[in-house]
Each structure stands twice: as structure tokens, then as C-alpha cells.
Amino acid sequence: MRKLFFIDCSKAAECCNKSQYKEAKPLDKMKLFLHLTFCQACRKFSSKNSKLTEAIKKSKIQSCSEEQKQAWREQIKKEFAEDNV
Amino acid sequence: MPANELDPNKWVDKYSDYLFNYTIVRVNDREVANDLISETFLAALKSAKYFKGEASERTWLISILKRKIIDYYRKINSRKGKAEVRVNYTDDYNEGEWLEEQVPDQFDRTAEDEMENNELGLAILECLDSINEKHASIFKRKTIDGADTETICNEFNITPSNLWVIIHRARTALAACLEKNWF
Ligand SMILES: [Zn+2]
């Protein structure tokens, strides 16, 4: 019984991270919830972690496409080589 | 020896996401943003010899990019004719002034929020720079691009449990960095 429902802090952290990406299984989420009721350290981590997710969502960071990055890399390489002739 | 040195071969990996996010909120067009960043890299290479190493590479690139963005708006405005959009530029490119005048009054609040969120985004990217490079790339793929765990594992040749350990380290470091610099 204990083994079924109790998880250690590293397992709790993993589940907490997965749930930031909606990849935690329902049973694991339950175990996390139970763990959080008695573990203050993980509660603290969990709240920071959610705050981070919130901040990232709010910031609307975008990344530019890999093709564009490759084009810039080549452009810089080419110009850099010409400048140093 | 100067405190900061330029390393153009690393510019794209280190700064392109930062430059892109800085630009996109200001020009609202991916293609225009990409072009302005291309121009910025070229201009930076041309003036690399004037880099004194007093500012960081990033700050220096942003100062060039800012000028490119202002030039872009100048071009648009002169094309549109002076009557439509009037923007008062100052010669020393005071940040903010030109943008404020672009935006009609009723959008002020939204624009302000958007700028603040954008700054938060830049702070996040800056923090990501200070963590392990590979961890940062994996974190970005997962969190910003929203790529599948499986896809990322294949790309980086790692197991899912490796991935979650890396994500954990990245998130912990990032939260600490943001706590110090933002919240
Ligand atoms: Zn715990």
C-alpha cells in the first residue's frame, strides 16, 4: 500500500515537471498531490515551477525557424571569411 | 585585452532567438523581422573592428538592431507620406520614443502589457544563456517549440528519463535566475 501511493522527492519533481507539459499520468498526479500534502520542499518547488510555466506562457517567446538560423549561419560564415581575406 | 570579445560564428546559436523576439513584437511580421536580423548581422560584421569590448556582445548587437528597426519605420513612413504617420525621432535613437508615437491612444495599455511580456521573454532567454548549452537547447525544443518528448529524444539521442532530468535541471536553474532578475 505504502509503495503504491508514496513517492520520493525526485519522483515527485519528475511528475511535477511532466505535468507542466501535460504529460503526467493521472495516477502519478494523484501521488504527487499526496506527496505535496506533507513535503514542504516539493511544495515550494512545485509553486516555482508553475510560476515559471506561467511566465513562459505570458512572455509568448517564439523561436525562429531552423532553416532561417542555418541561412544566417551561412551568411555570417561567408561574410566573415571575405572580411578576413 | 578587452572584457568582451566578438565571436561571430556563435552569434546565431547564442543570440538569434533573443534578437528575433526583440524584433517580432516591434515589427509584427516574421519575414520583416528575419530580414532586419540578417541586416544586423551583416552590419555587425562590418563594424566589428569598432567593437571596444565595453558592452556585451548581445547589448552591442541589440544596439545595431535598434537602429535597423528605426530605419525600417523611417522607410515605411516616408513611403506612406508624411501626413499619415508622424514619428518624432531623436537623433540618438532614444529607445521607446519612436514606438510610443506609433501606437494610437486606445491601444496604449495593451501595447504596454505586450512590451512588458516581451521583456519578460527576453529575460527568460537571457537566463537560458547562462545554463548548460545543450540543456538550454533541449529545454527550448520542449518548452518553446512544444516538440514531442519522442522527437527530442531522437534529435539529441537521449532517453526519455535523460530528457526529464535535463528538463528538471534547466527549469530549476531558470526559475532561480528569473527569481533573481525578474520576479
Ligand atoms: Zn518532496
Side-chain angles (χ1 to χ4, degrees):
Chain A
M1 194 63 191
R2 246 189 104 80
K3 268 199 177 152
L4 261 179
F5 288 104
F6 285 83
I7 49 174
D8 62 15
C9 293
S10 76
K11 209 72 201 128
E14 189 186 316
C15 180
C16 176
N17 289 321
K18 283 182 178 168
S19 71
Q20 305 304 317
Y21 300 92
K22 304 200 161 46
E23 285 181 39
K25 294 191 188 96
L27 180 64
D28 287 338
K29 265 161 106 174
M30 241 179 62
K31 291 178 191 169
L32 171 64
F33 186 74
L34 183 67
H35 183 91
L36 292 182
T37 58
F38 62 81
C39 181
Q40 203 196 357
C42 285
R43 265 206 307 278
K44 210 169 155 196
F45 172 72
S46 173
S47 108
K48 274 189 192 170
N49 214 6
S50 313
K51 209 166 152 191
L52 179 63
T53 299
E54 201 52 45
I56 291 163
K57 210 169 120 196
K58 212 170 79 180
S59 74
K60 296 194 187 117
I61 307 175
Q62 306 177 43
S63 53
C64 28
S65 68
E66 195 42 51
E67 293 101 78
Q68 181 61 61
K69 285 187 183 175
Q70 196 49 39
W72 284 330
R73 276 186 206 108
E74 275 156 28
Q75 179 196 14
I76 288 173
K77 220 170 159 184
K78 191 169 148 255
E79 287 291 319
F80 198 33
E82 277 171 19
D83 283 357
N84 288 323
V85 175
Chain B
M1 216 178 93
N4 295 295
E5 278 184 83
L6 297 179
D7 187 359
N9 288 320
K10 288 204 165 151
W11 284 352
V12 175
D13 291 318
K14 284 174 92 169
Y15 308 117
S16 58
D17 286 324
Y18 189 95
L19 298 176
F20 184 75
N21 281 278
Y22 183 92
T23 316
I24 194 73
V25 72
R26 288 166 172 81
V27 301
N28 254 314
D29 183 311
R30 290 184 81 95
E31 219 166 294
V32 172
N34 288 339
D35 286 346
L36 290 172
I37 295 167
S38 295
E39 286 175 28
T40 300
F41 284 142
L42 289 184
L45 285 171
K46 291 216 169 72
S47 53
K49 51 180 172 293
Y50 305 112
F51 179 74
K52 293 193 202 81
E54 284 155 5
S56 72
E57 248 184 336
R58 188 210 321 273
T59 309
W60 184 68
L61 287 170
I62 284 287
S63 72
I64 297 170
L65 175 61
K66 258 184 215 168
R67 254 169 269 174
K68 295 288 172 199
I69 296 173
I70 291 168
D71 288 344
Y72 163 73
Y73 275 107
R74 276 196 179 144
K75 249 178 255 161
I76 287 187
N77 289 339
S78 65
R79 231 181 279 145
K80 273 188 185 165
K82 281 159 202 130
E84 216 178 311
V85 189
R86 283 192 84 106
V87 182
N88 285 324
Y89 297 110
T90 51
D91 280 327
D92 54 352
Y93 298 111
N94 266 339
E95 192 181 0
E97 277 183 41
W98 58 276
L99 194 84
E100 274 166 37
E101 307 226 357
Q102 293 274 18
V103 187
D105 282 347
Q106 65 266 38
F107 294 132
D108 264 0
R109 193 58 232 156
T110 332
E112 241 172 74
D113 282 349
E114 206 180 305
M115 285 316 269
E116 197 186 320
N117 289 338
N118 183 248
E119 271 166 36
L120 170 62
L122 298 177
I124 292 169
L125 290 170
E126 219 173 316
C127 278
L128 271 175
D129 256 6
S130 62
I131 72 173
N132 176 295
E133 220 170 286
K134 190 181 161 199
H135 292 185
S137 323
I138 292 172
F139 176 85
K140 274 191 202 167
R141 287 290 288 139
K142 182 87 192 128
T143 318
I144 297 165
D145 303 343
D148 283 341
T149 299
E150 205 191 323
T151 311
I152 302 171
C153 287
N154 288 334
E155 280 172 11
F156 289 86
N157 199 18
I158 53 173
T159 66
S161 68
N162 288 153
L163 178 131
W164 289 110
V165 169
I166 290 168
I167 292 291
H168 180 70
R169 294 208 180 126
R171 294 189 72 93
T172 311
L174 201 51
C177 176
L178 278 179
E179 193 128 300
K180 210 168 72 190
N181 300 319
W182 186 267
F183 293 132

